[in-house]
Amino acid sequence: MYKKKSILVVVLARGGSKTIKNKNLVKIKKIPLVGLVGKLVKKMKIIDKALVSTDSDRIGKTSQKYGLDYIFKRPKNISGNIVSDFKVLEHALKTTEKILRRKFDIIISLPPTSPLRDKNYIEKGIKKLIKNKFDSLWTVSKTDTKFHPEKQLIYFHRNGPSIIARQQLSDMYHRNGVAYIMTRDCILKKKKLLTNNSGYLIINKKQISIDTFEDLNNVRKLI
């Protein structure tokens, strides 16, 4: 709890994965990705509850070994690869509150596929959300100028032809998957994860969201 706000961490970890089989159970230094999240959350004293939302008993039981609760199994109708995170988080929040018979003020999604995160980022995000009374807050990283939209095809952005040096590019940021922090009302009343009253936390340290084997190998090298 922080500033009298009860905090729930939800780790979204479905069993299916197109590119890397059983991705959420892939090990880094002998610890599965869901386990790394569990170990991190255990270090955070302000977290009231942390659990996994999964359609896989194997992932659920593995998560329990590392401190994440597995109190429900995610239904099949919200377990596909094109199901929105909003639907899964809404289900997780409603189900958890019903089972535990208590309400949570802040909900945090920590994808297992971003294992380079630090607990300080999450805690700073929580404090910033509460201080500024945001509906939600996402962590972001500055986009490398090599991939800046204004440098892409002329059909993509009208400024493309006039860009001759990186100094001409405006700063651009992308979500890095480290943390998504929302208020209860943001999910249950506004029915969104991002609103006109959402904030951000810039993380300057390199982050990798694992989608491919190349990403996985790069994370292993960094860790």
Side-chain angles (χ1 to χ4, degrees):
M1 185 169 286
Y2 177 75
K3 297 286 185 179
K4 297 183 179 180
K5 302 289 186 181
S6 56
I7 303 172
L8 171 68
V9 166
V10 180
V11 179
L12 305 185
R14 67 185 184 88
S17 178
K18 294 290 185 180
T19 306
I20 304 175
K21 187 176 181 180
N22 296 318
K23 181 168 63 175
N24 290 308
L25 292 176
V26 168
K27 294 183 178 180
I28 294 178
K29 286 196 171 181
K30 299 182 179 181
I31 301 175
L33 291 178
V34 291
L36 290 175
V37 183
K39 287 173 66 68
L40 180 73
V41 173
K42 285 170 73 173
K43 298 177 182 177
M44 300 174 62
K45 304 302 182 183
I46 63 176
I47 301 300
D48 296 278
K49 198 73 174 176
L51 55 85
V52 63
S53 169
T54 182
D55 58 333
S56 164
D57 284 326
R58 184 182 173 192
I59 291 177
K61 292 176 181 177
T62 301
S63 300
Q64 287 178 314
K65 294 179 181 178
Y66 293 92
L68 297 175
D69 287 340
Y70 178 41
I71 60 177
F72 62 83
K73 189 172 184 178
R74 192 194 304 179
K76 289 184 178 180
N77 66 314
I78 56 170
S79 297
N81 61 337
I82 58 172
V83 176
S84 69
D85 282 357
F86 170 76
K87 288 184 178 179
V88 183
L89 285 169
E90 181 185 40
H91 169 269
L93 176 57
K94 287 182 176 180
T95 305
T96 301
E97 289 190 341
K98 183 178 180 180
I99 293 173
L100 301 182
R101 297 182 180 180
R102 60 175 296 189
K103 292 182 179 180
F104 292 93
D105 301 300
I106 296 174
I107 297 83
I108 306 172
S109 174
L110 300 179
T113 47
S114 296
L116 298 180
R117 64 169 60 88
D118 186 286
K119 74 180 186 69
N120 292 326
Y121 305 146
I122 305 166
E123 291 173 346
K124 284 181 180 178
I126 294 169
K127 293 173 182 179
K128 186 173 181 179
L129 176 130
I130 294 174
K131 180 180 179 181
N132 293 278
K133 297 181 180 179
F134 289 136
D135 292 326
S136 65
L137 180 144
W138 293 11
T139 57
V140 299
S141 295
K142 190 173 182 179
T143 303
D144 191 314
T145 53
K146 296 183 182 67
F147 310 108
H148 199 288
E150 292 178 11
K151 288 185 64 177
Q152 307 309 310
L153 295 174
I154 184 174
Y155 305 104
F156 185 85
H157 199 285
R158 64 181 180 275
N159 293 340
S162 63
I163 301 297
I164 59 175
R166 62 183 176 83
Q167 288 79 7
Q168 293 176 271
L169 298 170
S170 57
D171 288 340
M172 186 70 65
Y173 298 86
H174 60 274
R175 57 182 179 177
N176 51 34
V178 169
Y180 301 91
I181 307 172
M182 291 75 57
T183 64
R184 184 175 188 273
D185 283 351
C186 184
I187 295 176
L188 298 185
K189 291 186 178 181
K190 298 190 177 181
K191 301 289 184 179
K192 294 180 179 180
L193 300 184
L194 191 68
T195 74
N196 292 330
N197 183 39
S198 291
Y200 60 87
L201 179 69
I202 299 172
I203 296 179
N204 294 317
K205 187 178 179 181
K206 185 176 180 62
Q207 300 297 319
I208 297 176
S209 180
I210 300 174
D211 290 313
T212 66
F213 283 104
E214 182 181 5
D215 294 333
L216 180 60
N217 289 332
N218 287 333
V219 167
R220 283 173 169 159
K221 290 176 183 176
L222 287 169
I223 289 183

mmCIF file of all heavy atoms in Angstrom, residues 181-221:
data_model
loop_
_atom_site.group_PDB
_atom_site.id
_atom_site.type_symbol
_atom_site.label_atom_id
_atom_site.label_comp_id
_atom_site.label_asym_id
_atom_site.label_seq_id
_atom_site.Cartn_x
_atom_site.Cartn_y
_atom_site.Cartn_z
ATOM 1 N N ILE A 181 0.408 1.078 -15.571
ATOM 2 C CA ILE A 181 -0.189 1.342 -14.258
ATOM 3 C C ILE A 181 -1.524 2.064 -14.450
ATOM 4 O O ILE A 181 -1.582 3.101 -15.117
ATOM 5 C CB ILE A 181 0.767 2.191 -13.400
ATOM 6 C CG1 ILE A 181 2.156 1.542 -13.349
ATOM 7 C CG2 ILE A 181 0.202 2.379 -11.998
ATOM 8 C CD1 ILE A 181 3.221 2.398 -12.696
ATOM 9 N N MET A 182 -2.586 1.508 -13.887
ATOM 10 C CA MET A 182 -3.925 2.069 -14.065
ATOM 11 C C MET A 182 -4.657 2.181 -12.733
ATOM 12 O O MET A 182 -4.407 1.404 -11.816
ATOM 13 C CB MET A 182 -4.769 1.176 -14.982
ATOM 14 C CG MET A 182 -4.354 1.142 -16.443
ATOM 15 S SD MET A 182 -2.871 0.178 -16.803
ATOM 16 C CE MET A 182 -3.297 -1.435 -16.163
ATOM 17 N N THR A 183 -5.582 3.131 -12.663
ATOM 18 C CA THR A 183 -6.465 3.195 -11.507
ATOM 19 C C THR A 183 -7.630 2.238 -11.727
ATOM 20 O O THR A 183 -7.905 1.829 -12.869
ATOM 21 C CB THR A 183 -7.033 4.609 -11.298
ATOM 22 O OG1 THR A 183 -7.850 4.961 -12.428
ATOM 23 C CG2 THR A 183 -5.921 5.624 -11.132
ATOM 24 N N ARG A 184 -8.311 1.913 -10.652
ATOM 25 C CA ARG A 184 -9.470 1.022 -10.739
ATOM 26 C C ARG A 184 -10.555 1.642 -11.632
ATOM 27 O O ARG A 184 -11.152 0.958 -12.470
ATOM 28 C CB ARG A 184 -10.023 0.774 -9.336
ATOM 29 C CG ARG A 184 -11.177 -0.212 -9.267
ATOM 30 C CD ARG A 184 -11.569 -0.477 -7.809
ATOM 31 N NE ARG A 184 -12.534 -1.556 -7.721
ATOM 32 C CZ ARG A 184 -13.853 -1.386 -7.825
ATOM 33 N NH1 ARG A 184 -14.341 -0.165 -8.022
ATOM 34 N NH2 ARG A 184 -14.674 -2.419 -7.743
ATOM 35 N N ASP A 185 -10.804 2.949 -11.463
ATOM 36 C CA ASP A 185 -11.824 3.621 -12.257
ATOM 37 C C ASP A 185 -11.474 3.647 -13.741
ATOM 38 O O ASP A 185 -12.363 3.607 -14.596
ATOM 39 C CB ASP A 185 -12.023 5.057 -11.764
ATOM 40 C CG ASP A 185 -12.842 5.122 -10.478
ATOM 41 O OD1 ASP A 185 -13.386 4.067 -10.068
ATOM 42 O OD2 ASP A 185 -12.927 6.215 -9.885
ATOM 43 N N CYS A 186 -10.184 3.722 -14.041
ATOM 44 C CA CYS A 186 -9.753 3.739 -15.436
ATOM 45 C C CYS A 186 -10.220 2.465 -16.148
ATOM 46 O O CYS A 186 -10.700 2.505 -17.282
ATOM 47 C CB CYS A 186 -8.229 3.860 -15.511
ATOM 48 S SG CYS A 186 -7.577 4.006 -17.202
ATOM 49 N N ILE A 187 -10.103 1.339 -15.446
ATOM 50 C CA ILE A 187 -10.479 0.057 -16.036
ATOM 51 C C ILE A 187 -11.979 -0.189 -15.961
ATOM 52 O O ILE A 187 -12.616 -0.530 -16.969
ATOM 53 C CB ILE A 187 -9.718 -1.095 -15.343
ATOM 54 C CG1 ILE A 187 -8.212 -0.961 -15.607
ATOM 55 C CG2 ILE A 187 -10.221 -2.456 -15.836
ATOM 56 C CD1 ILE A 187 -7.377 -1.989 -14.876
ATOM 57 N N LEU A 188 -12.553 -0.013 -14.786
ATOM 58 C CA LEU A 188 -13.942 -0.407 -14.585
ATOM 59 C C LEU A 188 -14.975 0.644 -14.998
ATOM 60 O O LEU A 188 -16.096 0.288 -15.376
ATOM 61 C CB LEU A 188 -14.168 -0.792 -13.121
ATOM 62 C CG LEU A 188 -13.348 -1.984 -12.608
ATOM 63 C CD1 LEU A 188 -13.763 -2.327 -11.185
ATOM 64 C CD2 LEU A 188 -13.495 -3.197 -13.521
ATOM 65 N N LYS A 189 -14.609 1.924 -14.951
ATOM 66 C CA LYS A 189 -15.567 2.969 -15.308
ATOM 67 C C LYS A 189 -15.293 3.573 -16.683
ATOM 68 O O LYS A 189 -16.203 3.707 -17.501
ATOM 69 C CB LYS A 189 -15.575 4.067 -14.233
ATOM 70 C CG LYS A 189 -16.174 3.620 -12.905
ATOM 71 C CD LYS A 189 -16.281 4.789 -11.929
ATOM 72 C CE LYS A 189 -16.933 4.342 -10.619
ATOM 73 N NZ LYS A 189 -17.081 5.468 -9.657
ATOM 74 N N LYS A 190 -14.033 3.915 -16.934
ATOM 75 C CA LYS A 190 -13.704 4.515 -18.224
ATOM 76 C C LYS A 190 -13.457 3.472 -19.315
ATOM 77 O O LYS A 190 -13.401 3.803 -20.502
ATOM 78 C CB LYS A 190 -12.498 5.443 -18.075
ATOM 79 C CG LYS A 190 -12.787 6.595 -17.117
ATOM 80 C CD LYS A 190 -11.719 7.663 -17.131
ATOM 81 C CE LYS A 190 -12.116 8.808 -16.213
ATOM 82 N NZ LYS A 190 -11.124 9.901 -16.202
ATOM 83 N N LYS A 191 -13.293 2.232 -18.888
ATOM 84 C CA LYS A 191 -13.161 1.109 -19.815
ATOM 85 C C LYS A 191 -12.008 1.280 -20.806
ATOM 86 O O LYS A 191 -12.094 0.931 -21.974
ATOM 87 C CB LYS A 191 -14.465 0.911 -20.601
ATOM 88 C CG LYS A 191 -15.687 0.634 -19.751
ATOM 89 C CD LYS A 191 -15.632 -0.743 -19.127
ATOM 90 C CE LYS A 191 -16.885 -1.081 -18.349
ATOM 91 N NZ LYS A 191 -16.847 -2.439 -17.757
ATOM 92 N N LYS A 192 -10.890 1.814 -20.305
ATOM 93 C CA LYS A 192 -9.714 2.039 -21.149
ATOM 94 C C LYS A 192 -8.442 1.828 -20.336
ATOM 95 O O LYS A 192 -8.464 1.856 -19.107
ATOM 96 C CB LYS A 192 -9.705 3.471 -21.703
ATOM 97 C CG LYS A 192 -10.823 3.793 -22.672
ATOM 98 C CD LYS A 192 -10.704 5.235 -23.132
ATOM 99 C CE LYS A 192 -11.793 5.598 -24.127
ATOM 100 N NZ LYS A 192 -11.668 7.012 -24.577
ATOM 101 N N LEU A 193 -7.336 1.631 -21.040
ATOM 102 C CA LEU A 193 -6.037 1.578 -20.386
ATOM 103 C C LEU A 193 -5.272 2.884 -20.606
ATOM 104 O O LEU A 193 -4.295 3.157 -19.927
ATOM 105 C CB LEU A 193 -5.202 0.407 -20.919
ATOM 106 C CG LEU A 193 -5.799 -0.999 -20.749
ATOM 107 C CD1 LEU A 193 -4.818 -2.052 -21.239
ATOM 108 C CD2 LEU A 193 -6.187 -1.255 -19.305
ATOM 109 N N LEU A 194 -5.746 3.675 -21.565
ATOM 110 C CA LEU A 194 -5.102 4.942 -21.897
ATOM 111 C C LEU A 194 -6.192 5.972 -22.167
ATOM 112 O O LEU A 194 -7.057 5.756 -23.007
ATOM 113 C CB LEU A 194 -4.211 4.777 -23.134
ATOM 114 C CG LEU A 194 -3.271 5.927 -23.479
ATOM 115 C CD1 LEU A 194 -2.177 6.064 -22.431
ATOM 116 C CD2 LEU A 194 -2.639 5.706 -24.853
ATOM 117 N N THR A 195 -6.152 7.091 -21.436
ATOM 118 C CA THR A 195 -7.160 8.138 -21.593
ATOM 119 C C THR A 195 -6.485 9.473 -21.888
ATOM 120 O O THR A 195 -5.250 9.551 -21.993
ATOM 121 C CB THR A 195 -8.006 8.284 -20.310
ATOM 122 O OG1 THR A 195 -7.215 8.937 -19.302
ATOM 123 C CG2 THR A 195 -8.485 6.936 -19.798
ATOM 124 N N ASN A 196 -7.285 10.521 -21.980
ATOM 125 C CA ASN A 196 -6.725 11.866 -22.177
ATOM 126 C C ASN A 196 -6.028 12.376 -20.924
ATOM 127 O O ASN A 196 -5.366 13.409 -20.952
ATOM 128 C CB ASN A 196 -7.836 12.842 -22.580
ATOM 129 C CG ASN A 196 -8.387 12.550 -23.960
ATOM 130 O OD1 ASN A 196 -7.661 12.039 -24.823
ATOM 131 N ND2 ASN A 196 -9.647 12.861 -24.191
ATOM 132 N N ASN A 197 -6.195 11.648 -19.832
ATOM 133 C CA ASN A 197 -5.547 12.019 -18.569
ATOM 134 C C ASN A 197 -4.535 10.947 -18.165
ATOM 135 O O ASN A 197 -4.472 10.537 -17.025
ATOM 136 C CB ASN A 197 -6.597 12.195 -17.464
ATOM 137 C CG ASN A 197 -5.981 12.653 -16.152
ATOM 138 O OD1 ASN A 197 -5.066 13.477 -16.136
ATOM 139 N ND2 ASN A 197 -6.457 12.098 -15.044
ATOM 140 N N SER A 198 -3.759 10.491 -19.128
ATOM 141 C CA SER A 198 -2.731 9.481 -18.858
ATOM 142 C C SER A 198 -1.344 10.109 -18.888
ATOM 143 O O SER A 198 -1.112 11.089 -19.601
ATOM 144 C CB SER A 198 -2.807 8.357 -19.887
ATOM 145 O OG SER A 198 -3.982 7.599 -19.717
ATOM 146 N N GLY A 199 -0.432 9.542 -18.115
ATOM 147 C CA GLY A 199 0.932 10.053 -18.061
ATOM 148 C C GLY A 199 1.942 9.030 -18.532
ATOM 149 O O GLY A 199 1.582 7.939 -18.983
ATOM 150 N N TYR A 200 3.204 9.389 -18.415
ATOM 151 C CA TYR A 200 4.269 8.497 -18.859
ATOM 152 C C TYR A 200 5.476 8.636 -17.944
ATOM 153 O O TYR A 200 5.639 9.629 -17.243
ATOM 154 C CB TYR A 200 4.674 8.809 -20.305
ATOM 155 C CG TYR A 200 5.187 10.224 -20.485
ATOM 156 C CD1 TYR A 200 6.533 10.545 -20.287
ATOM 157 C CD2 TYR A 200 4.313 11.252 -20.839
ATOM 158 C CE1 TYR A 200 6.991 11.831 -20.436
ATOM 159 C CE2 TYR A 200 4.759 12.555 -20.983
ATOM 160 C CZ TYR A 200 6.105 12.839 -20.782
ATOM 161 O OH TYR A 200 6.560 14.126 -20.923
ATOM 162 N N LEU A 201 6.301 7.618 -17.969
ATOM 163 C CA LEU A 201 7.579 7.658 -17.250
ATOM 164 C C LEU A 201 8.654 7.219 -18.223
ATOM 165 O O LEU A 201 8.612 6.100 -18.753
ATOM 166 C CB LEU A 201 7.550 6.711 -16.044
ATOM 167 C CG LEU A 201 8.851 6.660 -15.225
ATOM 168 C CD1 LEU A 201 9.062 7.978 -14.481
ATOM 169 C CD2 LEU A 201 8.826 5.494 -14.233
ATOM 170 N N ILE A 202 9.603 8.109 -18.489
ATOM 171 C CA ILE A 202 10.671 7.803 -19.436
ATOM 172 C C ILE A 202 11.750 6.973 -18.740
ATOM 173 O O ILE A 202 12.231 7.334 -17.665
ATOM 174 C CB ILE A 202 11.300 9.089 -19.996
ATOM 175 C CG1 ILE A 202 10.249 9.905 -20.752
ATOM 176 C CG2 ILE A 202 12.468 8.748 -20.928
ATOM 177 C CD1 ILE A 202 10.739 11.280 -21.178
ATOM 178 N N ILE A 203 12.115 5.878 -19.348
ATOM 179 C CA ILE A 203 13.196 5.027 -18.841
ATOM 180 C C ILE A 203 14.372 5.126 -19.803
ATOM 181 O O ILE A 203 14.249 4.797 -20.988
ATOM 182 C CB ILE A 203 12.729 3.563 -18.713
ATOM 183 C CG1 ILE A 203 11.617 3.477 -17.665
ATOM 184 C CG2 ILE A 203 13.901 2.660 -18.344
ATOM 185 C CD1 ILE A 203 11.062 2.082 -17.487
ATOM 186 N N ASN A 204 15.485 5.594 -19.299
ATOM 187 C CA ASN A 204 16.652 5.796 -20.158
ATOM 188 C C ASN A 204 17.506 4.538 -20.315
ATOM 189 O O ASN A 204 18.224 4.387 -21.299
ATOM 190 C CB ASN A 204 17.509 6.948 -19.610
ATOM 191 C CG ASN A 204 16.793 8.288 -19.697
ATOM 192 O OD1 ASN A 204 16.172 8.602 -20.700
ATOM 193 N ND2 ASN A 204 16.860 9.075 -18.630
ATOM 194 N N LYS A 205 17.418 3.635 -19.345
ATOM 195 C CA LYS A 205 18.177 2.396 -19.442
ATOM 196 C C LYS A 205 17.586 1.500 -20.512
ATOM 197 O O LYS A 205 16.368 1.438 -20.671
ATOM 198 C CB LYS A 205 18.167 1.678 -18.084
ATOM 199 C CG LYS A 205 19.061 0.458 -18.023
ATOM 200 C CD LYS A 205 19.038 -0.155 -16.628
ATOM 201 C CE LYS A 205 19.913 -1.395 -16.559
ATOM 202 N NZ LYS A 205 19.862 -2.013 -15.202
ATOM 203 N N LYS A 206 18.432 0.802 -21.243
ATOM 204 C CA LYS A 206 17.982 -0.047 -22.346
ATOM 205 C C LYS A 206 16.976 -1.092 -21.878
ATOM 206 O O LYS A 206 17.174 -1.747 -20.860
ATOM 207 C CB LYS A 206 19.179 -0.749 -22.997
ATOM 208 C CG LYS A 206 18.806 -1.566 -24.244
ATOM 209 C CD LYS A 206 20.045 -2.155 -24.897
ATOM 210 C CE LYS A 206 19.686 -2.970 -26.120
ATOM 211 N NZ LYS A 206 19.041 -2.164 -27.178
ATOM 212 N N GLN A 207 15.896 -1.240 -22.650
ATOM 213 C CA GLN A 207 14.864 -2.225 -22.368
ATOM 214 C C GLN A 207 14.596 -3.045 -23.629
ATOM 215 O O GLN A 207 14.681 -2.522 -24.739
ATOM 216 C CB GLN A 207 13.565 -1.549 -21.915
ATOM 217 C CG GLN A 207 13.692 -0.713 -20.665
ATOM 218 C CD GLN A 207 14.071 -1.528 -19.448
ATOM 219 O OE1 GLN A 207 13.574 -2.633 -19.254
ATOM 220 N NE2 GLN A 207 14.947 -0.979 -18.609
ATOM 221 N N ILE A 208 14.293 -4.312 -23.439
ATOM 222 C CA ILE A 208 13.961 -5.182 -24.567
ATOM 223 C C ILE A 208 12.687 -5.947 -24.238
ATOM 224 O O ILE A 208 12.594 -6.591 -23.192
ATOM 225 C CB ILE A 208 15.099 -6.189 -24.869
ATOM 226 C CG1 ILE A 208 16.366 -5.451 -25.292
ATOM 227 C CG2 ILE A 208 14.664 -7.173 -25.964
ATOM 228 C CD1 ILE A 208 17.564 -6.369 -25.512
ATOM 229 N N SER A 209 11.709 -5.859 -25.139
ATOM 230 C CA SER A 209 10.491 -6.654 -25.014
ATOM 231 C C SER A 209 10.671 -7.876 -25.910
ATOM 232 O O SER A 209 10.822 -7.747 -27.129
ATOM 233 C CB SER A 209 9.277 -5.839 -25.454
ATOM 234 O OG SER A 209 8.101 -6.602 -25.338
ATOM 235 N N ILE A 210 10.678 -9.046 -25.312
ATOM 236 C CA ILE A 210 11.028 -10.274 -26.041
ATOM 237 C C ILE A 210 9.892 -10.748 -26.946
ATOM 238 O O ILE A 210 8.828 -11.141 -26.489
ATOM 239 C CB ILE A 210 11.408 -11.404 -25.068
ATOM 240 C CG1 ILE A 210 12.619 -10.988 -24.226
ATOM 241 C CG2 ILE A 210 11.711 -12.696 -25.830
ATOM 242 C CD1 ILE A 210 12.974 -11.982 -23.131
ATOM 243 N N ASP A 211 10.157 -10.703 -28.253
ATOM 244 C CA ASP A 211 9.222 -11.222 -29.242
ATOM 245 C C ASP A 211 9.861 -12.315 -30.097
ATOM 246 O O ASP A 211 9.172 -13.196 -30.596
ATOM 247 C CB ASP A 211 8.735 -10.098 -30.168
ATOM 248 C CG ASP A 211 7.822 -9.118 -29.448
ATOM 249 O OD1 ASP A 211 6.906 -9.585 -28.735
ATOM 250 O OD2 ASP A 211 8.013 -7.907 -29.598
ATOM 251 N N THR A 212 11.179 -12.233 -30.262
ATOM 252 C CA THR A 212 11.892 -13.159 -31.138
ATOM 253 C C THR A 212 13.068 -13.799 -30.400
ATOM 254 O O THR A 212 13.440 -13.383 -29.300
ATOM 255 C CB THR A 212 12.443 -12.420 -32.366
ATOM 256 O OG1 THR A 212 13.458 -11.483 -31.936
ATOM 257 C CG2 THR A 212 11.329 -11.667 -33.089
ATOM 258 N N PHE A 213 13.677 -14.811 -31.031
ATOM 259 C CA PHE A 213 14.851 -15.453 -30.441
ATOM 260 C C PHE A 213 16.021 -14.474 -30.381
ATOM 261 O O PHE A 213 16.856 -14.548 -29.476
ATOM 262 C CB PHE A 213 15.249 -16.692 -31.262
ATOM 263 C CG PHE A 213 14.359 -17.878 -31.014
ATOM 264 C CD1 PHE A 213 13.396 -18.252 -31.934
ATOM 265 C CD2 PHE A 213 14.473 -18.615 -29.837
ATOM 266 C CE1 PHE A 213 12.564 -19.339 -31.695
ATOM 267 C CE2 PHE A 213 13.649 -19.705 -29.587
ATOM 268 C CZ PHE A 213 12.692 -20.063 -30.529
ATOM 269 N N GLU A 214 16.086 -13.548 -31.322
ATOM 270 C CA GLU A 214 17.130 -12.526 -31.292
ATOM 271 C C GLU A 214 16.971 -11.653 -30.050
ATOM 272 O O GLU A 214 17.957 -11.335 -29.372
ATOM 273 C CB GLU A 214 17.064 -11.665 -32.550
ATOM 274 C CG GLU A 214 18.162 -10.599 -32.607
ATOM 275 C CD GLU A 214 18.076 -9.736 -33.853
ATOM 276 O OE1 GLU A 214 17.113 -9.901 -34.635
ATOM 277 O OE2 GLU A 214 18.963 -8.887 -34.027
ATOM 278 N N ASP A 215 15.734 -11.266 -29.751
ATOM 279 C CA ASP A 215 15.471 -10.483 -28.534
ATOM 280 C C ASP A 215 15.916 -11.263 -27.302
ATOM 281 O O ASP A 215 16.554 -10.715 -26.394
ATOM 282 C CB ASP A 215 13.975 -10.177 -28.402
ATOM 283 C CG ASP A 215 13.455 -9.273 -29.493
ATOM 284 O OD1 ASP A 215 14.243 -8.475 -30.036
ATOM 285 O OD2 ASP A 215 12.246 -9.369 -29.810
ATOM 286 N N LEU A 216 15.563 -12.534 -27.273
ATOM 287 C CA LEU A 216 15.894 -13.386 -26.130
ATOM 288 C C LEU A 216 17.401 -13.481 -25.934
ATOM 289 O O LEU A 216 17.915 -13.355 -24.807
ATOM 290 C CB LEU A 216 15.304 -14.782 -26.328
ATOM 291 C CG LEU A 216 15.564 -15.811 -25.228
ATOM 292 C CD1 LEU A 216 15.003 -15.344 -23.885
ATOM 293 C CD2 LEU A 216 14.949 -17.160 -25.614
ATOM 294 N N ASN A 217 18.134 -13.680 -27.021
ATOM 295 C CA ASN A 217 19.596 -13.773 -26.934
ATOM 296 C C ASN A 217 20.217 -12.455 -26.472
ATOM 297 O O ASN A 217 21.170 -12.444 -25.690
ATOM 298 C CB ASN A 217 20.174 -14.170 -28.296
ATOM 299 C CG ASN A 217 19.854 -15.614 -28.653
ATOM 300 O OD1 ASN A 217 19.676 -16.456 -27.770
ATOM 301 N ND2 ASN A 217 19.776 -15.908 -29.941
ATOM 302 N N ASN A 218 19.660 -11.346 -26.933
ATOM 303 C CA ASN A 218 20.176 -10.038 -26.522
ATOM 304 C C ASN A 218 19.940 -9.786 -25.033
ATOM 305 O O ASN A 218 20.793 -9.234 -24.337
ATOM 306 C CB ASN A 218 19.525 -8.928 -27.353
ATOM 307 C CG ASN A 218 20.035 -8.888 -28.771
ATOM 308 O OD1 ASN A 218 21.156 -9.302 -29.041
ATOM 309 N ND2 ASN A 218 19.219 -8.371 -29.685
ATOM 310 N N VAL A 219 18.776 -10.205 -24.533
ATOM 311 C CA VAL A 219 18.482 -10.067 -23.106
ATOM 312 C C VAL A 219 19.446 -10.903 -22.290
ATOM 313 O O VAL A 219 19.971 -10.452 -21.249
ATOM 314 C CB VAL A 219 17.028 -10.499 -22.808
ATOM 315 C CG1 VAL A 219 16.823 -10.657 -21.299
ATOM 316 C CG2 VAL A 219 16.049 -9.455 -23.344
ATOM 317 N N ARG A 220 19.680 -12.121 -22.713
ATOM 318 C CA ARG A 220 20.606 -13.006 -21.990
ATOM 319 C C ARG A 220 22.006 -12.399 -21.925
ATOM 320 O O ARG A 220 22.693 -12.515 -20.909
ATOM 321 C CB ARG A 220 20.636 -14.379 -22.660
ATOM 322 C CG ARG A 220 19.408 -15.231 -22.332
ATOM 323 C CD ARG A 220 19.361 -16.515 -23.126
ATOM 324 N NE ARG A 220 18.332 -17.408 -22.601
ATOM 325 C CZ ARG A 220 17.792 -18.399 -23.292
ATOM 326 N NH1 ARG A 220 18.183 -18.622 -24.544
ATOM 327 N NH2 ARG A 220 16.864 -19.169 -22.751
ATOM 328 N N LYS A 221 22.434 -11.765 -23.010
ATOM 329 C CA LYS A 221 23.758 -11.133 -23.016
ATOM 330 C C LYS A 221 23.802 -9.976 -22.017
ATOM 331 O O LYS A 221 24.781 -9.791 -21.296
ATOM 332 C CB LYS A 221 24.078 -10.633 -24.416
ATOM 333 C CG LYS A 221 24.351 -11.738 -25.438
ATOM 334 C CD LYS A 221 24.576 -11.158 -26.826
ATOM 335 C CE LYS A 221 24.772 -12.262 -27.847
ATOM 336 N NZ LYS A 221 24.905 -11.709 -29.225
#
